[in-house]
Amino acid sequence: MAAEPAGAPGAGTPDPLSVIRTRGYAVLLVMVAALGVPISAVAFGFLALVHELQDLTYTNLPHALGFGRTPSWWPLPLLAVAGLLTALVIRHLPGTAGHKPAEGFVNTGAPTAAQLPGVALAALASLGLGAVLGPEAPLIALGGGLAVYAARLLKPGIAPDASAMVAAAGSFAAVSTLLGSPLLGAFLLMEASGLAGMMLGVALVPGLLASGIGSLIFIGLGSWTGLGTYSLALPHVPHTPQPTVAEFGWAIALGAAAALAGTGVKRLALALQEQVEQRRVTATVMVGLTVGVLALLYAESTGRNASEVLYSGQDALGGLLAEDATYTVATLIVLIACKALAYAASLSAFRGGPIFPSMFLGAAGGLALSHLPGLNATSGFAMGIGAMCVAMLRLPMTSVLLATLLLGSEGITVMPLVIVSVVVSYVLVLRLERPSAASTAPR
C-alpha cells in the first residue's frame, strides 16, 4: 500500500487506523513537512509584497510627488488602475485568477500550475492598490496549487486522494498564522472544504503538520526580516465584565442586524458580478472608481483617513478598538455604510478573500451599538465580528473562534455572547437565503 493513503478508487471505504499505519501515509507526512517550508516562505513573501505595495502606492508615492499628506482623492486613480490590471489578468491569463469572492469560499480544488500566475497577479493588483478584500483566499489557492505542483514533480504517480491532502496541507501552511493562530486556519479550511465529512483524522494530520511548520517559518522570517508575521492580532483589548442579561439581548439584536446586512452585501455583490462579467475591463475599472469615490466621501464627510474604507481592515481592527473613543456614532455609521458598499463592489470584480472586511464591518457595527445602554465596547466588538463573519462566510465554528481567540483572555468572557450572536445570524441568513435558492432550483 505505497500510494493510496485514503479512499483509493476501487478500494471501498478504508479504515482510518489502517491508512495511518501504512508506509504511504508516513511518506505523505514527510512530503508535507518538506513542502511546508518553501510554501510558507512564499506565502510570507506574498504578504510582504502586498504590504509594501500598499505603503508604496498610498504613502510613499504621493510624498515623492510633493504632497505633504496623501490627498483624499488619491484612491481614485489607484483603484482605476487596480481594476484595469485585475480585469486584464482575469481575461487573458489561464483560469479566472482564483475563485470569485462574491460566491464565498467554494472548494474548487487547487489551481493548476498554469493558473498560479493569474491568481498571484490579480491578488497583488487588487490588494496592493486598495480593493476591500483580504489575502486569505489567494493564499489558500497559491498554497494548494504550489503543493500539488511540487508533489507531482517529486512523485508523478501520486494518487488523487493523496494529491488532495497535499493541496489541503499546502493551503494550511500558507494561512498558518494569518488569522492569529494555526488552529484558526485549520478550522477555516475544515469548514470551508468539507473535511469534516471525510476521514477527519487522516485528512487533518498532514494539514496540522504543515500549519505548525508554516507558523514557525512565519515567526522566523518575521523576526529575521523585521517585517513581523502579518498575523491578525490586537495590541490592546479593554477589560470586559461578565455578560449581563441586557448583553444577551444585544447579542440577539446584533445577530439579526448582521444577518440582514451580510445578506444585503452578498446579494448586491452577486448582482454587480453579473454586470461586471458582461463587460469585464470597463466594468472592473468603474468598480474601482466607485470604491475610490466611497473612500473620498468618507474622508471628506468625517475628516478621517480614506484608508479606513480601503483595504481588508486587518491592520485597522486594533486601532478601531483602541481608539473607539475618538469615533462618534455618526462617523461609525458613515464608515460602515461606505465600507459595506466598497466591500460589495470589491467582491463583485476584484480578487481576494472576504474574511477581514466582514470582521471590520462587524466590529464597527458592534462599537456603534456600544454607545447605547447595556452594551460595552469589547462585547459589542466581539459579537459584531462573529455575527458578520458568519453572515458572509456561513462558517459558524470559524466565526466564533475568530471573534474570541482574537481577544485573548477577554475572549473567554465574551464567548457565550458571541455564540448567541453567531447562531442567530447563521440561522437567519439561512432562512433569508431559502426563497432565492428555491426560486432558482431546476423544475
Side-chain angles (χ1 to χ4, degrees), residues 370-391:
S370 71
H371 287 265
L372 298 174
L375 180 64
N376 71 75
T378 304
S379 297
F381 182 88
M383 288 189 290
I385 288 175
M388 194 65 187
C389 277
V390 81

Side-chain angles (χ1 to χ4, degrees), residues 135-164:
E136 68 282 353
L139 282 179
I140 289 170
L142 290 171
L146 288 172
V148 171
Y149 177 66
R152 287 174 178 166
L153 288 178
L154 295 171
K155 192 176 182 60
I158 188 170
D161 287 337
S163 179

